[in-house]
Amino acid sequence: MTDLSSFPITQRWPASHPDRIQLYATPTPNGVKVSIMLEETGLAYEPHFINISNNESKDPAFVALNPNGRIPAIIDPAGPDGKPLALWESGAILLYLAEKTGQFLPVDPARRYETLAWVFFQMSAIGPMFGQLGFFLRFGGKDIEDKRPRQRFVDETKRLLGVLDRQLEGRDWIVDDYSIADIATIGWVNALGAFYAAEAILGLDDYANVQAWLERALARPAVQRGLHIPAKPA
């Protein structure tokens, strides 16, 4: 049996199946990137719910795996050279899993780098900007009287949706074939309506290509499952 005891996180969240990839996450827009990818690839994995509302990602056992104290993170017991690999940052995990399985990342160098550019676009722009907008709409930001900060993120979110909408003109997926660029982005775009209730303030119906793309993505069974993994313990 695979021994993962050298990783402190397995003492806090024990592995029932140490021979499987261990996923430590919450079904947030960042967390579901990895659960969707794992569902899409068919890799065997064991999810562990990290309660970020209780600051469990700041637990020393979690920080020993991810020094930044953020979900998601994984341990692959069958990493490079057959040795366990601990990995954090959702973009790095998506790239690793794509290369491990040979799925959802083009082999052609030009298309590969184009795909990675859109992954990094999500990491550097869509995630941070949509997340800040969500703060102002759903969390502490709604109590701030000065509306200029919120408007800044509304405007930037609209701009980014416009970039994505133009890229999707005449395409089913962000870079022709379904890839980690789509997987990285699905949870964030879905959250705009499903969690942040930002349909009206953003005019989401104006982004017809984005809306059609999201419908296609949400129709995928692996996406439907991944959006709710890890489930919160009863």
Side-chain angles (χ1 to χ4, degrees):
M1 179 178 289
T2 305
D3 183 8
L4 299 179
S5 61
S6 62
F7 297 96
I9 198 167
T10 63
Q11 309 305 313
R12 175 67 174 80
W13 290 276
S16 299
H17 304 281
D19 56 326
R20 303 178 186 177
I21 291 174
Q22 304 296 303
L23 169 64
Y24 307 93
T26 314
T28 66
N30 267 337
V32 300
K33 297 176 194 176
V34 180
S35 54
I36 290 172
M37 182 65 171
L38 288 166
E39 289 291 323
E40 291 280 16
T41 60
L43 288 167
Y45 72 101
E46 180 178 355
H48 301 273
F49 181 85
I50 307 300
N51 193 331
I52 58 176
S53 297
N54 291 343
N55 287 322
E56 288 185 351
S57 63
K58 303 301 187 293
D59 186 292
F62 188 92
V63 174
L65 178 60
N66 179 359
N68 193 36
R70 295 287 190 273
I71 59 96
I74 66 168
I75 299 173
D76 183 359
D81 301 320
K83 299 177 181 178
L85 172 72
L87 194 59
W88 50 284
E89 278 297 326
S90 57
I93 296 171
L94 288 180
L95 179 56
Y96 170 72
L97 295 175
E99 292 184 336
K100 178 183 178 73
T101 62
Q103 299 182 63
F104 308 116
L105 184 63
V107 175
D108 174 75
R111 293 184 64 233
R112 171 188 171 88
Y113 286 114
E114 182 182 3
T115 300
L116 291 177
W118 284 99
V119 172
F120 297 149
F121 171 73
Q122 184 283 306
M123 300 292 296
S124 66
I126 284 181
M129 293 300 106
F130 288 18
Q132 292 296 334
L133 175 63
F135 170 79
F136 280 95
L137 295 181
R138 283 294 304 267
F139 301 106
K142 65 180 180 293
D143 297 323
I144 297 174
E145 291 186 10
D146 186 344
K147 301 306 179 187
R148 288 173 296 179
R150 186 186 77 165
Q151 190 60 45
R152 184 250 194 284
F153 292 114
V154 168
D155 293 343
E156 184 63 3
T157 297
K158 287 182 175 181
R159 187 189 72 81
L160 295 172
L161 286 170
V163 173
L164 187 58
D165 201 71
R166 290 188 294 274
Q167 175 64 14
L168 286 164
E169 181 67 36
R171 291 184 173 91
D172 284 344
W173 305 108
I174 295 175
V175 187
D176 299 326
D177 296 328
Y178 183 74
S179 72
I180 57 174
D182 302 284
I183 292 170
T185 310
I186 291 165
W188 281 107
V189 175
N190 184 57
L192 290 176
F195 187 65
Y196 298 147
E199 297 96 333
I201 197 170
L202 294 175
L204 289 181
D205 288 342
D206 294 339
Y207 305 95
N209 296 325
V210 172
Q211 294 293 76
W213 164 85
L214 182 61
E215 288 181 11
R216 284 189 290 273
L218 295 178
R220 296 179 69 91
V223 173
Q224 294 171 14
R225 296 190 299 270
L227 285 172
H228 304 286
I229 297 172
K232 186 175 183 178

